[in-house]
Amino acid sequence: QVQLVESGGGVVQPGRSLRLSCAASGFTFTNYAIHWVRQAPGKGLEWVAVISYDGSKKHYADSVKGRFTISRDNSKNTLYLQMNSLRTEDTAVYYCAKDISEDFWSGLIDHWGQGTLVTVSS
Amino acid sequence: DIVMTQSPLSLAVSLGERATINCKSSQSVLYSSKNKNYLAWSQQKPGQPPKLLMYWASTRESGVPDRFSGSGSGTDFTLTISSLQAEDVAVYYCHQYYSPPYTFGQGTKLEIK
């Protein structure tokens, strides 16, 4: 079955960087777009970014544009999120999530990982 | 950006009774040429990631019990649980995938009365 396992979360000071990873299995990773979605403690869901199946297209939320970079290594079935210039408001559980469509993306998410917690605090 | 507004934000319903959650989008999410509403519902239980329940506003994801149903078109949508079960206690989110940035409603917390 589809498995998405995030890692790389932790406590980081404001202004510093962190890289998240998401290891995928149980489906043909190279065929699907993948999203990052975050959830601040006790809050709702916020879509962060998406990358196409081949990495050629990306789209970001305005709140992270210019600071975060989504990428993927299809030879390793792994998704990444490089987060720079972190702010306290970036504190959240970060989920990687699979798009339902075998295309660039549809925006519809059908599987989620368990998430990794990023805490930005001095 | 398309803003998704859910109501109510919390809801308490007796076991076996009907639960209704509403979702309104700030602009239509109906793609006219395909006659499809780009609207999904997800369920999140405590300590778990979200789980897809419905998409195209009214199509149930595989394995979702038929007590869950979705309706609506354009800007106004409803998720209905026909007979509430204990395992349905969760937060429910509507989500538009019509255009990026993809946006979610605030969530509706459903509890047992």
Side-chain angles (χ1 to χ4, degrees):
Chain A
Q1 73 277 23
V2 172
Q3 275 207 306
L4 299 162
V5 179
E6 302 90 339
S7 61
V11 180
V12 61
Q13 293 178 327
R16 305 298 288 261
S17 299
L18 202 62
R19 188 177 84 155
L20 305 183
S21 300
C22 171
S25 61
F27 66 103
T28 307
F29 182 73
T30 52
N31 286 2
Y32 292 90
I34 308 289
H35 303 258
W36 285 103
V37 179
R38 68 185 180 183
Q39 186 169 35
K43 302 295 184 183
L45 300 165
E46 180 187 14
W47 176 81
V48 173
V50 62
I51 186 168
S52 62
Y53 68 99
D54 61 355
S56 64
K57 290 184 181 289
K58 305 171 186 181
H59 200 96
Y60 297 93
D62 284 347
S63 58
V64 306
K65 199 174 297 182
R67 301 188 299 123
F68 289 13
T69 301
I70 189 171
S71 62
R72 64 192 294 162
D73 185 337
N74 282 351
S75 69
K76 296 182 179 179
N77 283 6
T78 302
L79 175 77
Y80 302 100
L81 186 67
Q82 177 67 42
M83 304 185 294
N84 298 333
S85 303
L86 281 161
R87 305 168 179 167
T88 55
E89 56 264 36
D90 295 319
T91 294
V93 173
Y94 284 74
Y95 296 102
C96 70
K98 174 186 162 291
D99 197 283
I100 202 168
S101 175
E102 286 192 67
D103 203 335
F104 281 100
W105 57 73
S106 68
L108 177 60
I109 290 167
D110 65 347
H111 289 89
W112 299 69
Q114 290 295 315
T116 187
L117 176 62
V118 173
T119 302
V120 184
S121 173
S122 53
Chain B
D1 297 4
I2 299 176
V3 176
M4 308 300 290
T5 303
Q6 290 183 227
S7 63
L9 298 184
S10 66
L11 181 61
V13 174
S14 301
L15 289 172
E17 296 300 305
R18 178 185 299 260
T20 300
I21 300 170
N22 301 299
C23 175
K24 189 174 184 68
S25 57
S26 61
Q27 64 187 74
S28 176
V29 297
L30 172 63
Y31 195 163
S32 303
S33 62
K34 296 186 178 183
N35 196 31
K36 285 185 179 290
N37 288 283
Y38 283 54
L39 188 283
W41 290 94
S42 293
Q43 174 195 62
Q44 186 176 32
K45 296 182 179 180
Q48 295 185 21
K51 171 190 170 185
L52 179 65
L53 291 179
M54 315 282 304
Y55 55 98
W56 303 132
S58 60
T59 300
R60 216 176 290 115
E61 173 71 329
S62 175
V64 173
D66 61 7
R67 64 179 180 273
F68 290 89
S69 63
S71 63
S73 184
T75 61
D76 293 279
F77 301 92
T78 300
L79 176 70
T80 302
I81 307 172
S82 60
S83 176
L84 189 71
Q85 305 299 303
E87 61 264 33
D88 300 334
V89 169
V91 178
Y92 292 84
Y93 294 93
C94 62
H95 157 216
Q96 67 82 15
Y97 51 103
Y98 182 86
S99 65
Y102 304 110
T103 47
F104 296 84
Q106 316 98 300
T108 295
K109 186 174 184 179
L110 177 59
E111 299 173 315
I112 305 293
K113 186 187 290 183

